[in-house]
Amino acid sequence: MQRRIVLFAWGIIFLINSAVFADELVLKSGKIINGEVIEKTPDFVKINYNGMPLYFENKLIQSLAIIRDKDIESDPDVFLKRGLTFAANQEFNLAKQEFLSGLKICPSHSNLNGGVSIINDLENGVISCDYALCLFKGSAFLIEKNYEAAVIHLENALKIIPDSVDVFYNLGVSYYSLSKPVEALNYFKKLVVINENDPHLYNLIGNTYLMISDYSNARDSFILARELFKKNNDLSSAIEADQFVSALSKNEPRN
């Protein structure tokens, strides 16, 4: 089954602004910590600070203000990012809770479903902890636009499962974002062999060919994307793909 942990469309990765988490923890020392409180007990407070879970004993805390934006809390992608942060720190149970919370808002969210599926595979012994950790770390770095770090962890995941669809996709996206089209095409072409009916994949391939000025192959890729979008009744995406086809067709050399 094909799973994706990264949102990607027309060369733009969807990034959730880390500033949406506005909880404020003030220590008795005077230091202020802004992040997201993810656990509060009679003994300590756990706060997500720039992707790192930090623990503070209550006896060291002067004050704590928990702020929540209702609009942010209704965004499933916020839960995706939280879940990836937990998973990248090997806190898979908390990650799964975040993914499931996001799915209550949007049950069809492919990335949230993918996150749950991977953790289920981990729990059932289908994949190893090392593989899951590498994949989640790479995916977390990817949505933060730290592509170099993403590549390192995803390449490590590929050493564990050499034919991983999830890794192929995210590595292709990472190399594309690093302006390394040859490497990106290598992984995108592997995905085509596995799933030849994914129009979004042909869009990616078309855009990647444009990076190396291979207009003929780019046009062919957008044509395939257009026809598959039509087949899926995704007319708006089909129109966008057709715009690329038209533009590239005008630039074709005439005999």
Side-chain angles (χ1 to χ4, degrees):
M1 179 181 68
Q2 187 174 10
R3 297 178 302 225
R4 291 179 183 170
I5 305 301
V6 179
L7 297 177
F8 191 92
W10 298 104
I12 300 174
I13 292 180
F14 185 92
L15 177 65
I16 304 167
N17 190 336
S18 60
V20 300
F21 305 131
D23 299 341
E24 182 178 271
L25 184 150
V26 180
L27 301 178
K28 290 181 179 178
S29 65
K31 186 174 183 178
I32 299 175
I33 308 293
N34 291 109
E36 179 203 6
V37 172
I38 49 183
E39 188 174 1
K40 189 174 183 293
T41 75
D43 300 312
F44 67 87
V45 170
K46 182 179 180 182
I47 190 167
N48 179 0
Y49 177 70
N50 290 335
M52 293 288 293
L54 302 178
Y55 293 82
F56 296 92
E57 292 184 82
N58 286 337
K59 64 182 181 182
L60 302 177
I61 298 173
Q62 178 68 40
S63 64
L64 175 64
I66 298 179
I67 303 169
R68 287 289 181 268
D69 185 323
K70 291 183 179 179
D71 291 333
I72 293 299
E73 290 297 310
S74 65
D75 185 347
D77 292 306
V78 171
F79 293 95
L80 173 65
K81 185 174 182 180
R82 288 180 188 168
L84 287 176
T85 299
F86 281 127
N89 285 283
Q90 206 167 336
E91 298 189 73
F92 298 119
N93 288 334
L94 293 174
K96 189 173 183 178
Q97 290 175 23
E98 293 294 337
F99 294 147
L100 291 172
S101 294
L103 286 171
K104 291 179 181 178
I105 301 170
C106 182
S108 63
H109 197 293
S110 59
N111 295 309
L112 289 168
N113 278 300
V116 172
S117 179
I118 288 171
I119 294 176
N120 285 342
D121 283 352
L122 175 62
E123 293 172 343
N124 294 325
V126 177
I127 59 176
S128 69
C129 179
D130 287 344
Y131 169 78
L133 192 58
C134 288
L135 175 58
F136 279 125
K137 281 185 176 180
S139 301
F141 278 121
L142 183 50
I143 68 167
E144 292 290 354
K145 296 187 177 181
N146 188 342
Y147 308 122
E148 293 87 354
V151 165
I152 291 172
H153 291 288
L154 293 170
E155 291 282 11
N156 286 335
L158 204 59
K159 292 175 183 177
I160 301 171
I161 302 182
D163 59 351
S164 169
V165 174
D166 300 314
V167 178
F168 287 165
Y169 189 86
N170 288 0
L171 269 174
V173 171
S174 297
Y175 280 121
Y176 177 97
S177 303
L178 286 169
S179 298
K180 294 185 176 181
V182 175
E183 292 87 345
L185 281 171
N186 175 49
Y187 290 108
F188 291 150
K189 287 179 179 179
K190 289 181 179 181
L191 285 169
V192 167
V193 174
I194 298 169
N195 184 5
E196 62 181 10
N197 294 315
D198 184 351
H200 298 285
L201 181 56
Y202 289 108
N203 265 346
L204 286 175
I205 293 173
N207 277 286
T208 308
Y209 274 125
L210 288 178
M211 293 177 71
I212 56 176
S213 301
D214 187 342
Y215 302 120
S216 177
N217 277 318
R219 178 178 177 274
D220 290 345
S221 298
F222 287 121
I223 288 174
L224 287 169
R226 180 189 64 190
E227 297 310 308
L228 286 170
F229 278 130
K230 287 181 179 178
K231 186 176 180 181
N232 295 340
N233 292 318
D234 186 348
L235 298 183
S236 61
S237 295
I239 291 172
E240 290 179 355
D242 188 61
Q243 290 174 346
F244 279 91
V245 173
S246 298
L248 291 167
S249 297
K250 291 178 182 178
N251 292 326
E252 278 192 331
R254 298 185 179 182
N255 295 327

